[in-house]
Amino acid sequence: MASQHTKRPLFGTKTLIGLLTPLVAITLALFIGGLIIVVFIGENPFKVYQIIFSTALGNLDGWGNVLYRATPLIFTALAVALAFQCGLFNIGGEGQMVIGGFALTWVGFTFTGLPSALLIPLCVVAGAAAGAIWGAIPGLLKARLGVHEVVNTIMMNWIGVALIQFLTMTYKPANSMIPQTMLIADAAKLSRLAVYLNPLGIKLPKSNQLNMAFFLAIAVVLLIWYILSRTKIGYEIKAVGFNTAAAECAGISVAKNTVMAMAMSGAVAGLAGVNQVMGYKYCFQYGVFEGIGFDGIGVALIGKNNPFGVVLAAMLFGILDHGGLAIDVFTEVPREIIMVLKAIILIFVVVSGEITKRMMVFMQKKKGGTTV
């Protein structure tokens, strides 16, 4: 007699397709990039890719630099992914990031008398709070006036960057020729991982910039995953993103969750300054932030707006960014090819995502509407 309960496979078809789609997209993108390198530059693409990946992953110093570069991208991509769960397209990570970064810098060079145990958490909270406020503004405009968040966040980016550049010059040291703020207190600086790894026999160069902000990024990934998958707040945010009309019928406030999702998104983006300021420059320089918010959009899309997918996608961008530095030295290929590769990967991921979606609809229809 056949069992009444059919054993479910460990991975469903939808899950497997979701895992394979980005891998196929990345492979195709590298192939197209290789053709560009051969046809337009005349270099051997295998040599170019070997240099990129060996530089990034061939030694501990390379791994450290990859993780350092991935850290701020994790924050900005998580911000995009979190808002997307509520049906919102937050492209204001650039502005939210610099606002949060300046706020934590200001705290760091203002409250210099505090010990590290107080000053570091205070800086982190300041960065998150400032980013949350900057993110909540377009959320409020969307909820109350119906103004689209894409328009809002674009405008808020320019306002935020211009404001922070003005404030940077306001707090610039008198003897400095560089547009940067005063240095934060030593008590606000984060230790680099080499300090802890080298005594254990793990030889990471002291110059390597990987710092404790990486662990904060991983903690935030786990926190966002927990909120979205295990809490009422996450359930309501996703319900609004899935179907606003159904959410309202169920008694879920669309306006409240819109503002809350954008505020939470901005808070996460604001934490990118922990890595760039407290772990690296020890002052605010816009140059070390520029473009990270926009790169976070691509990372979120490649990671399928999943917190864990975001980490892997951020590492991919970290590999390309750090490995790309070497091709200027060892090949005739310009470093700008990395930007081309990122763009091609993103295009293939978006296109393949749409193809996947249509495949799933077709398979469901073929099975009579049952879930695959």
Side-chain angles (χ1 to χ4, degrees), residues 155-213:
M155 295 299 101
M156 294 294 286
N157 276 339
W158 296 117
I159 295 170
V161 170
L163 174 62
I164 293 309
Q165 288 179 332
F166 167 75
L167 291 175
T168 299
M169 298 304 293
T170 301
Y171 289 97
K172 184 174 75 71
N175 60 347
S176 175
M177 300 297 292
I178 302 172
Q180 64 183 32
T181 64
M182 296 178 281
L183 294 175
I184 61 175
D186 289 342
K189 297 176 182 179
L190 295 180
S191 300
R192 296 187 176 177
L193 257 62
V195 174
Y196 303 104
L197 295 179
N198 287 344
L200 300 176
I202 304 173
K203 299 301 180 182
L204 185 66
K206 291 183 179 179
S207 60
N208 194 281
Q209 297 159 1
L210 180 62
N211 58 80
M212 299 300 289

Coordinates of all heavy atoms in Angstrom, one line a residue, residues 155-213:
M155 N 16.2 62.5 -5.2 CA 16.4 63.9 -4.7 C 17.1 63.9 -3.4 O 17.9 64.8 -3.1 CB 15.0 64.6 -4.6 CG 14.3 64.7 -6.0 SD 15.2 65.7 -7.2 CE 15.9 64.4 -8.2
M156 N 16.7 63.0 -2.5 CA 17.3 63.0 -1.2 C 18.8 62.6 -1.2 O 19.6 63.1 -0.4 CB 16.6 62.0 -0.2 CG 15.2 62.4 0.1 SD 15.1 63.9 1.1 CE 15.6 63.2 2.7
N157 N 19.2 61.9 -2.2 CA 20.6 61.6 -2.4 C 21.4 62.9 -2.7 O 22.4 63.1 -2.1 CB 20.8 60.6 -3.6 CG 20.6 59.2 -3.3 OD1 20.7 58.8 -2.1 ND2 20.3 58.4 -4.3
W158 N 20.9 63.7 -3.6 CA 21.6 64.9 -4.0 C 21.7 65.9 -2.8 O 22.7 66.5 -2.6 CB 21.0 65.5 -5.2 CG 21.1 64.7 -6.5 CD1 20.1 64.1 -7.2 CD2 22.3 64.2 -7.1 NE1 20.6 63.4 -8.2 CE2 22.0 63.4 -8.2 CE3 23.7 64.5 -6.8 CZ2 22.9 62.9 -9.0 CZ3 24.6 63.9 -7.7 CH2 24.2 63.1 -8.8
I159 N 20.5 66.0 -2.1 CA 20.5 66.9 -1.0 C 21.4 66.4 0.1 O 22.2 67.2 0.7 CB 19.0 66.9 -0.4 CG1 18.1 67.6 -1.4 CG2 19.0 67.7 0.9 CD1 16.6 67.5 -1.1
G160 N 21.4 65.1 0.4 CA 22.3 64.6 1.4 C 23.8 64.7 1.1 O 24.6 65.2 2.0
V161 N 24.2 64.5 -0.1 CA 25.6 64.6 -0.5 C 26.0 66.0 -0.5 O 27.1 66.4 0.1 CB 25.8 64.0 -1.9 CG1 27.2 64.3 -2.5 CG2 25.6 62.5 -1.9
A162 N 25.2 66.9 -1.0 CA 25.6 68.4 -1.0 C 25.6 68.9 0.5 O 26.6 69.6 0.8 CB 24.5 69.2 -1.8
L163 N 24.7 68.5 1.3 CA 24.7 68.9 2.7 C 26.0 68.5 3.4 O 26.6 69.2 4.1 CB 23.5 68.4 3.4 CG 23.4 68.7 4.9 CD1 23.4 70.1 5.2 CD2 22.1 68.0 5.5
I164 N 26.3 67.2 3.2 CA 27.4 66.6 3.9 C 28.8 67.2 3.4 O 29.7 67.4 4.2 CB 27.4 65.1 3.8 CG1 26.2 64.5 4.5 CG2 28.7 64.5 4.3 CD1 26.1 65.0 6.0
Q165 N 28.8 67.5 2.1 CA 30.0 68.1 1.6 C 30.2 69.5 2.2 O 31.4 69.9 2.5 CB 30.0 68.2 0.1 CG 30.2 66.9 -0.6 CD 30.1 66.9 -2.1 OE1 29.4 67.8 -2.7 NE2 30.8 66.0 -2.8
F166 N 29.1 70.2 2.4 CA 29.2 71.6 3.1 C 29.6 71.4 4.5 O 30.5 72.1 5.0 CB 27.8 72.2 3.0 CG 27.7 73.4 3.9 CD1 28.3 74.6 3.6 CD2 27.0 73.3 5.1 CE1 28.2 75.7 4.5 CE2 26.9 74.4 6.0 CZ 27.5 75.6 5.7
L167 N 29.0 70.4 5.2 CA 29.4 70.2 6.6 C 30.8 69.7 6.8 O 31.5 70.0 7.8 CB 28.4 69.2 7.3 CG 27.0 69.7 7.5 CD1 26.1 68.6 8.0 CD2 27.0 70.9 8.4
T168 N 31.3 68.9 5.8 CA 32.7 68.5 5.8 C 33.7 69.7 5.8 O 34.6 69.7 6.6 CB 33.0 67.5 4.6 OG1 32.1 66.4 4.7 CG2 34.4 67.1 4.6
M169 N 33.4 70.6 5.0 CA 34.3 71.8 4.9 C 34.1 72.7 6.2 O 35.1 73.3 6.6 CB 33.9 72.6 3.7 CG 34.1 71.9 2.4 SD 35.8 71.3 2.2 CE 36.7 72.8 2.1
T170 N 32.9 72.6 6.8 CA 32.7 73.4 8.0 C 33.6 72.8 9.2 O 34.1 73.6 10.0 CB 31.2 73.3 8.4 OG1 30.4 73.9 7.4 CG2 31.0 74.1 9.7
Y171 N 33.7 71.5 9.2 CA 34.5 70.9 10.3 C 35.9 70.4 9.8 O 36.5 69.6 10.4 CB 33.8 69.7 10.8 CG 32.5 70.0 11.6 CD1 31.3 70.0 11.0 CD2 32.7 70.4 13.0 CE1 30.2 70.4 11.8 CE2 31.5 70.7 13.7 CZ 30.3 70.7 13.1 OH 29.2 71.1 13.8
K172 N 36.4 71.0 8.7 CA 37.7 70.7 8.2 C 38.8 71.3 9.1 O 38.7 72.5 9.5 CB 37.9 71.2 6.8 CG 39.2 70.8 6.1 CD 39.1 71.2 4.6 CE 39.3 72.7 4.5 NZ 40.7 73.1 4.8
P173 N 39.9 70.6 9.4 CA 41.0 71.1 10.1 C 41.6 72.3 9.4 O 41.7 72.3 8.1 CB 42.0 70.0 10.2 CG 41.1 68.7 10.1 CD 40.1 69.1 9.1
A174 N 42.0 73.3 10.1 CA 42.5 74.5 9.5 C 43.7 74.3 8.6 O 43.9 75.0 7.6 CB 42.8 75.6 10.6
N175 N 44.6 73.4 9.0 CA 45.8 73.1 8.2 C 45.7 72.1 7.1 O 46.7 71.6 6.5 CB 46.9 72.8 9.2 CG 46.6 71.5 9.9 OD1 45.5 71.0 9.9 ND2 47.6 71.0 10.6
S176 N 44.5 71.6 6.9 CA 44.3 70.5 5.9 C 43.9 71.0 4.5 O 43.0 71.9 4.4 CB 43.2 69.5 6.4 OG 42.9 68.6 5.4
M177 N 44.5 70.5 3.5 CA 44.2 70.9 2.1 C 43.2 69.9 1.5 O 42.7 70.1 0.4 CB 45.5 70.9 1.3 CG 46.5 71.9 1.8 SD 46.0 73.6 1.7 CE 45.9 73.8 -0.1
I178 N 42.9 68.8 2.2 CA 42.0 67.8 1.8 C 40.6 68.0 2.4 O 40.5 68.4 3.5 CB 42.5 66.4 2.2 CG1 43.9 66.2 1.6 CG2 41.5 65.3 1.7 CD1 44.5 64.9 2.2
P179 N 39.5 67.9 1.5 CA 38.2 68.1 2.1 C 37.8 66.9 3.0 O 37.2 65.9 2.5 CB 37.3 68.1 0.8 CG 38.1 67.4 -0.2 CD 39.5 67.7 0.1
Q180 N 38.1 67.0 4.3 CA 37.8 66.0 5.2 C 37.6 66.6 6.6 O 38.0 67.8 6.8 CB 39.0 65.0 5.3 CG 40.3 65.6 5.8 CD 41.4 64.6 5.9 OE1 41.5 63.7 5.1 NE2 42.3 64.7 6.8
T181 N 36.9 65.9 7.5 CA 36.6 66.4 8.8 C 37.8 66.2 9.7 O 38.8 65.6 9.3 CB 35.4 65.7 9.4 OG1 35.7 64.3 9.6 CG2 34.2 65.9 8.5
M182 N 37.7 66.6 10.9 CA 38.6 66.3 12.0 C 38.6 64.8 12.2 O 37.6 64.1 12.0 CB 38.3 67.1 13.3 CG 38.4 68.6 13.1 SD 38.0 69.4 14.7 CE 36.2 69.4 14.6
L183 N 39.7 64.3 12.8 CA 39.8 62.9 13.1 C 38.9 62.5 14.3 O 38.8 63.3 15.2 CB 41.3 62.5 13.4 CG 42.3 62.6 12.3 CD1 43.7 62.3 12.8 CD2 41.9 61.7 11.1
I184 N 38.4 61.3 14.3 CA 37.6 60.9 15.4 C 38.6 60.5 16.5 O 39.8 60.3 16.3 CB 36.7 59.6 15.1 CG1 37.6 58.5 14.6 CG2 35.7 60.0 14.0 CD1 36.8 57.2 14.3
A185 N 38.1 60.4 17.7 CA 38.9 60.0 18.9 C 39.4 58.6 18.8 O 38.8 57.8 18.1 CB 38.1 60.2 20.2
D186 N 40.6 58.4 19.4 CA 41.1 57.0 19.3 C 40.2 56.0 19.9 O 40.1 54.8 19.5 CB 42.5 56.9 20.1 CG 43.6 57.7 19.4 OD1 43.5 57.9 18.2 OD2 44.6 58.0 20.1
A187 N 39.4 56.4 20.9 CA 38.4 55.5 21.5 C 37.3 55.1 20.6 O 36.6 54.1 20.9 CB 37.8 56.2 22.8
A188 N 37.1 55.8 19.5 CA 36.0 55.5 18.5 C 36.5 54.7 17.4 O 35.7 54.2 16.5 CB 35.4 56.8 18.0
K189 N 37.8 54.4 17.3 CA 38.4 53.6 16.2 C 38.2 52.1 16.4 O 38.3 51.6 17.5 CB 39.9 53.9 16.1 CG 40.2 55.4 15.7 CD 41.7 55.7 15.6 CE 41.9 57.1 15.3 NZ 43.4 57.4 15.3
L190 N 37.9 51.4 15.3 CA 37.7 50.0 15.4 C 39.1 49.3 15.1 O 39.8 49.7 14.2 CB 36.7 49.5 14.4 CG 35.2 49.9 14.6 CD1 34.3 49.4 13.5 CD2 34.7 49.5 16.0
S191 N 39.3 48.2 15.8 CA 40.6 47.5 15.6 C 40.5 46.7 14.3 O 39.4 46.3 13.8 CB 40.8 46.4 16.7 OG 40.8 47.1 18.0
R192 N 41.6 46.6 13.6 CA 41.7 45.8 12.4 C 42.0 44.3 12.8 O 42.6 44.1 13.9 CB 42.9 46.3 11.5 CG 42.5 47.7 11.0 CD 43.5 48.2 10.0 NE 43.0 49.5 9.5 CZ 43.7 50.2 8.6 NH1 44.9 49.8 8.1 NH2 43.2 51.4 8.2
L193 N 41.5 43.4 12.0 CA 41.6 42.0 12.4 C 43.0 41.5 12.5 O 43.2 40.5 13.2 CB 40.8 41.2 11.4 CG 39.4 40.7 11.9 CD1 38.5 41.9 12.1 CD2 38.7 39.8 10.9
A194 N 43.9 42.1 11.8 CA 45.3 41.7 12.0 C 45.8 41.7 13.4 O 46.6 40.8 13.8 CB 46.2 42.5 11.1
V195 N 45.3 42.6 14.2 CA 45.7 42.7 15.6 C 45.4 41.4 16.3 O 46.1 41.0 17.2 CB 45.0 43.9 16.3 CG1 45.3 43.9 17.8 CG2 45.4 45.2 15.6
Y196 N 44.3 40.8 16.0 CA 43.8 39.6 16.7 C 44.3 38.3 16.0 O 44.5 37.3 16.7 CB 42.3 39.5 16.8 CG 41.7 40.8 17.5 CD1 41.1 41.8 16.7 CD2 41.8 40.9 18.8 CE1 40.6 42.9 17.3 CE2 41.3 42.1 19.5 CZ 40.7 43.0 18.7 OH 40.2 44.2 19.3
L197 N 44.5 38.3 14.7 CA 44.8 37.1 14.0 C 46.3 36.8 14.0 O 46.7 35.6 14.1 CB 44.4 37.2 12.5 CG 42.9 37.3 12.3 CD1 42.6 37.5 10.8 CD2 42.1 36.1 12.8
N198 N 47.1 37.8 14.0 CA 48.6 37.6 13.9 C 49.1 36.8 15.2 O 50.0 35.9 15.1 CB 49.3 38.9 13.7 CG 49.2 39.4 12.3 OD1 48.8 38.7 11.4 ND2 49.5 40.7 12.1
P199 N 48.6 37.2 16.4 CA 49.1 36.4 17.6 C 48.7 34.9 17.5 O 49.3 34.1 18.2 CB 48.4 37.1 18.7 CG 48.2 38.5 18.3 CD 47.9 38.4 16.8
L200 N 47.7 34.6 16.7 CA 47.2 33.2 16.6 C 48.0 32.5 15.5 O 47.7 31.3 15.2 CB 45.7 33.2 16.3 CG 44.8 33.8 17.3 CD1 43.3 33.8 16.8 CD2 44.9 33.1 18.6
G201 N 48.9 33.2 14.8 CA 49.7 32.5 13.8 C 49.1 32.7 12.4 O 49.6 32.2 11.4
I202 N 48.0 33.4 12.3 CA 47.3 33.7 11.0 C 47.9 35.0 10.5 O 47.5 36.1 11.0 CB 45.8 33.8 11.2 CG1 45.3 32.5 11.8 CG2 45.1 34.0 9.8 CD1 43.8 32.5 12.1
K203 N 48.8 35.0 9.5 CA 49.5 36.2 9.2 C 48.8 37.1 8.2 O 48.9 36.9 7.0 CB 50.9 35.7 8.6 CG 51.7 34.9 9.5 CD 52.1 35.7 10.8 CE 52.9 35.0 11.8 NZ 53.2 35.7 13.0
L204 N 48.0 38.0 8.7 CA 47.3 39.0 7.9 C 48.2 40.3 8.1 O 48.4 40.7 9.2 CB 45.9 39.2 8.4 CG 45.0 40.2 7.7 CD1 44.7 39.6 6.3 CD2 43.7 40.4 8.4
P205 N 48.6 40.9 7.0 CA 49.4 42.1 7.1 C 48.7 43.2 7.9 O 47.5 43.4 7.8 CB 49.6 42.5 5.6 CG 49.4 41.3 4.8 CD 48.4 40.5 5.6
K206 N 49.5 43.9 8.7 CA 49.0 45.0 9.5 C 48.3 46.1 8.7 O 47.5 46.8 9.2 CB 50.1 45.5 10.4 CG 50.5 44.6 11.5 CD 51.6 45.2 12.4 CE 52.0 44.2 13.5 NZ 53.1 44.9 14.4
S207 N 48.8 46.2 7.4 CA 48.2 47.2 6.6 C 46.9 46.8 6.0 O 46.2 47.7 5.4 CB 49.2 47.5 5.4 OG 49.4 46.3 4.6
N208 N 46.5 45.6 6.2 CA 45.2 45.1 5.6 C 44.0 45.9 6.4 O 44.0 46.0 7.6 CB 45.0 43.6 5.8 CG 43.9 43.1 5.0 OD1 42.7 43.2 5.4 ND2 44.2 42.5 3.9
Q209 N 43.1 46.3 5.6 CA 42.0 47.2 6.1 C 40.8 46.5 6.7 O 39.9 47.2 7.2 CB 41.6 48.2 5.1 CG 42.7 49.1 4.6 CD 42.4 49.7 3.2 OE1 41.4 49.4 2.6 NE2 43.4 50.5 2.7
L210 N 40.8 45.2 6.7 CA 39.7 44.4 7.2 C 39.6 44.7 8.7 O 40.6 44.5 9.5 CB 39.8 43.0 7.0 CG 38.7 42.0 7.5 CD1 37.4 42.4 6.8 CD2 39.1 40.6 7.3
N211 N 38.4 45.1 9.2 CA 38.3 45.5 10.6 C 37.0 44.9 11.2 O 36.3 44.2 10.5 CB 38.3 47.0 10.7 CG 37.2 47.7 9.9 OD1 36.0 47.7 10.3 ND2 37.5 48.2 8.7
M212 N 36.7 45.3 12.4 CA 35.6 44.7 13.2 C 34.2 45.0 12.6 O 33.2 44.4 12.9 CB 35.7 45.1 14.6 CG 36.9 44.7 15.4 SD 37.1 42.9 15.4 CE 35.8 42.4 16.5
A213 N 34.2 46.0 11.7 CA 32.9 46.3 11.1 C 32.3 45.2 10.3 O 31.1 45.1 10.1 CB 33.1 47.6 10.2

